Amino acid sequence: KKAFANEIKMLAQFIHNQSIVTVYDGFSANDTYYMAMEYLPGKSLGRIMRERKRRPFSVNHWRKIMASVLDGLGCLHGRKMLHGDISPGNIIYTDSGEAKLLDLGSARKWGDEEKKQLTSFLKPDFASPEQYMLAGTGRFGAEGPWSDIYSLGATMYYCLTGRKPPGVLERLEGEGNRMAFTARDRLRIPAQWRKMIIACMELDRKKRLQSVEEIRELFAPQ
């Protein structure tokens, strides 16, 4: 109940942001908690990809989706919050053509919780190395905006190639850990975007893109 109430409080801070789902109310009844949220007719990117049999988005289509996602994520990071679970299933694409971030159940502050014991929920294909560390130790410390950026890069890879990215453990156990693109990918995806995805998904967080602003610079038309 405490975690659910915390999610309501977090979402309430972003009621005016068009790229984050709006929560209207939270209340307790029948020995449980309820959250009243805006109704968003549409589908998650994960569901869309499944229904399309993983046919990737076009670059132009993805550019519009990405702009909204970056706006929402930038707003979160501006308040020193991490989403903690960026993935295709947590981005809804509405019938009116808007993209919004969902599910702040894993969201938390960063920077002042090094000694706090935490739990972490992993989506193996999209989780950052820091999330694996948190899941193993229960201690916050290495996570930051760069952790959401890793997951965003993995989401972009999936939606633009139609293939789920290799997970962190698979990459660490393999001979090489850089992201691979096929000849078909290279024809469809601009070189600057491929470089951006690779930079988002660096295993070493210090070599990774560090902020939404850095992604926006690379994402801009050239």
Side-chain angles (χ1 to χ4, degrees), residues 106-121:
S106 297
R108 50 186 167 268
K109 289 274 189 178
W110 91 83
D112 61 349
E113 300 185 70
E114 288 83 357
K115 297 181 181 179
K116 184 176 180 180
Q117 292 286 337
L118 296 169
T119 56
S120 180
F121 301 93

Side-chain angles (χ1 to χ4, degrees), residues 57-64 66 153 156-157 160 181 188-200 215 218-222:
F57 286 90
S58 70
V59 166
N60 288 335
H61 196 177
W62 181 254
R63 186 187 295 279
K64 297 176 182 178
M66 188 72 166
M156 195 177 341
Y157 181 91
L160 286 176
F181 291 93
R188 295 186 63 260
I189 307 170
Q192 72 196 63
W193 286 24
R194 299 197 305 271
K195 292 178 182 178
M196 175 174 57
I197 292 171
I198 291 171
C200 285
I215 296 179
L218 294 174
F219 196 69
Q222 294 182 3

Side-chain angles (χ1 to χ4, degrees), residues 22-79:
T22 298
V23 59
Y24 295 122
D25 194 12
F27 55 93
S28 176
N30 304 317
D31 197 32
T32 190
Y33 274 89
Y34 297 86
M35 186 190 304
M37 308 173 75
E38 67 174 318
Y39 174 65
L40 296 172
K43 300 175 182 177
S44 71
L45 296 185
R47 182 175 177 181
I48 291 172
M49 288 293 287
R50 290 192 298 273
E51 291 182 352
R52 291 155 55 113
K53 298 183 179 179
R54 295 191 180 182
R55 178 169 57 87
F57 286 90
S58 70
V59 166
N60 288 335
H61 196 177
W62 181 254
R63 186 187 295 279
K64 297 176 182 178
I65 293 172
M66 188 72 166
S68 293
V69 172
L70 290 176
D71 180 63
L73 196 56
C75 186
L76 282 168
H77 291 173
R79 290 180 178 260

